[in-house]
Amino acid sequence: MSKTGRIAITIAAVIIAAIGAIGVTLGIWGGLFLTGGILFMETLGAEIDYDQVSGEFGRLVVWGGLGSLMLLSGALAIVRIWAR
């Protein structure tokens, strides 16, 4: 593969890995803030709809899971293309 092709694939892989890193960050920080918010609301004695909360946690797990797969695949593509 030519050097131009390697650079193009590397740029694409870096973009994929960056989007994955954003997904992982959203999953982790979103989970922390959601958990902290629930604990704070319980402390205040608020009524909490746990069905809605479980749906939000599910979305955060999907963001984190897909983000980690994208991050891993981007990093693996970079290593694989330059190891040749």
Side-chain angles (χ1 to χ4, degrees):
M1 180 179 291
S2 67
K3 189 169 183 175
T4 307
R6 285 185 179 193
I7 291 172
I9 291 174
T10 302
I11 291 171
V14 166
I15 291 171
I16 290 171
I19 293 170
I22 291 169
V24 170
T25 303
L26 285 174
I28 292 171
W29 285 105
L32 289 174
F33 282 121
L34 185 59
T35 304
I38 291 169
L39 292 174
F40 181 69
M41 287 171 53
E42 281 183 347
T43 303
L44 295 177
E47 193 68 30
I48 299 172
D49 182 13
Y50 286 103
D51 291 333
Q52 184 178 1
V53 169
S54 67
E56 294 299 325
F57 272 120
R59 282 188 201 91
L60 292 172
V61 167
V62 169
W63 269 104
L66 289 178
S68 64
L69 287 175
M70 289 176 69
L71 183 62
L72 183 63
S73 65
L76 185 62
I78 292 170
V79 168
R80 189 165 179 213
I81 206 71
W82 287 101
R84 292 180 181 190

